[in-house]
Amino acid sequence: EIVLTQSPGTLSLSPGERATLSCRTTQSVSSSYIAWYQQKPGQPPRLLIYATSSRATGIPDRFSGSGSGTDFTLNISRLEPEDFAVYYCQQYGPSPMYTFGQGTKLEIK
Amino acid sequence: QVQLQESGPGLVKPSGTLSLTCAVSGGSVSNTNWWSWVRQPPGKGLEWIGEIYHSGNTNYNPSLKSRVTISVDKSKNQFSLKLNSVTAADTAVYYCATAVPYYMGVWGKGTTVTVSS
């Protein structure tokens, strides 16, 4: 089973700053198989990025994804108040089909 | 745009069976999506439970496979989850989602299930 480790666990930043969230996998993963989700309290996850760097419909261009192999990154260029949430990376693999990282909480400093 | 809505009992007794349904609107369960279940224990992360295709083909998380059954009802445009022999560790918010390989594009709002006597 491929394990996803997200860092940091908590990221404290101010609106307007840049956020960099990391997701590392225990085995090399195809870039087609990495996605990122945002989750706010009491809400379901929302797809942000799929295939490592493709933005989902309606996602602002301040969100961007990159990476390859075992290291993947979600960047938020200029934080807006509504961006403070928990972010999960996810990979698609042979078994189980989908696994998630433990999440990074992005909080207001 | 497809919309999903989970429904089912909010309280299940230990050793009992958790049964949930996901109603699909704005689209057909017979389209090219896979249909997934994901859960989230209180204050914790996301765990994929399994998925089904309209043909009835399924994939399950090995950690839950012995207790899980996912089925689809094309006549009612819905799919369902059954998890048997539940314990307190199965207490969670349960989400249904579209599984467009290789990610989940649309999610239901989730339903909270508590396992308690």
Side-chain angles (χ1 to χ4, degrees):
Chain A
E1 176 182 343
I2 297 176
V3 176
L4 283 66
T5 301
Q6 294 185 239
S7 62
T10 301
L11 184 58
S12 299
L13 294 170
S14 301
E17 292 191 293
R18 178 184 182 87
T20 299
L21 286 66
S22 173
C23 177
R24 289 187 171 172
T25 61
T26 52
Q27 299 176 38
S28 183
V29 176
S30 167
S31 60
S32 298
Y33 296 167
I34 292 292
W36 289 89
Y37 301 85
Q38 176 194 68
Q39 188 178 33
K40 297 180 180 179
Q43 296 185 17
R46 176 176 71 146
L47 178 69
L48 295 175
I49 300 286
Y50 64 94
T52 295
S53 60
S54 297
R55 276 188 300 277
T57 302
I59 301 303
D61 61 7
R62 64 179 181 274
F63 290 90
S64 63
S66 62
S68 64
T70 60
D71 290 328
F72 299 89
T73 300
L74 174 69
N75 283 297
I76 311 172
S77 59
R78 297 170 306 279
L79 286 168
E80 298 286 344
E82 62 266 28
D83 298 336
F84 292 91
V86 178
Y87 292 82
Y88 293 96
C89 58
Q90 169 247 299
Q91 73 95 27
Y92 174 86
S95 183
M97 308 295 284
Y98 297 89
T99 52
F100 296 89
Q102 83 280 16
T104 289
K105 181 180 182 181
L106 178 56
E107 65 176 23
I108 298 176
K109 186 174 182 179
Chain B
Q1 169 77 323
V2 169
Q3 293 184 312
L4 305 176
Q5 178 66 59
E6 306 88 348
S7 62
L11 182 64
V12 180
K13 293 187 185 303
S15 77
T17 297
L18 180 159
S19 296
L20 297 174
T21 295
C22 181
V24 179
S25 60
S28 171
V29 75
S30 296
N31 71 11
T32 55
N33 287 342
W34 286 75
W35 306 94
S36 265
W37 288 97
V38 177
R39 70 180 183 179
Q40 185 171 35
K44 296 188 178 180
L46 301 165
E47 180 181 32
W48 177 73
I49 299 169
E51 63 180 359
I52 190 165
Y53 197 61
H54 62 78
S55 62
N57 288 355
T58 54
N59 295 301
Y60 297 130
N61 190 322
S63 68
L64 297 168
K65 186 174 183 178
S66 63
R67 299 194 291 130
V68 172
T69 302
I70 297 176
S71 59
V72 64
D73 187 334
K74 289 183 277 188
S75 67
K76 294 183 179 179
N77 212 33
Q78 64 186 32
F79 60 105
S80 299
L81 168 70
K82 290 189 186 299
L83 180 67
N84 58 35
S85 304
V86 297
T87 69
D90 296 309
T91 293
V93 176
Y94 285 77
Y95 297 101
C96 56
T98 63
V100 180
Y102 314 103
Y103 54 88
M104 294 175 213
V106 177
W107 295 66
K109 293 182 179 181
T111 188
T112 299
V113 178
T114 301
V115 178
S116 175
S117 55

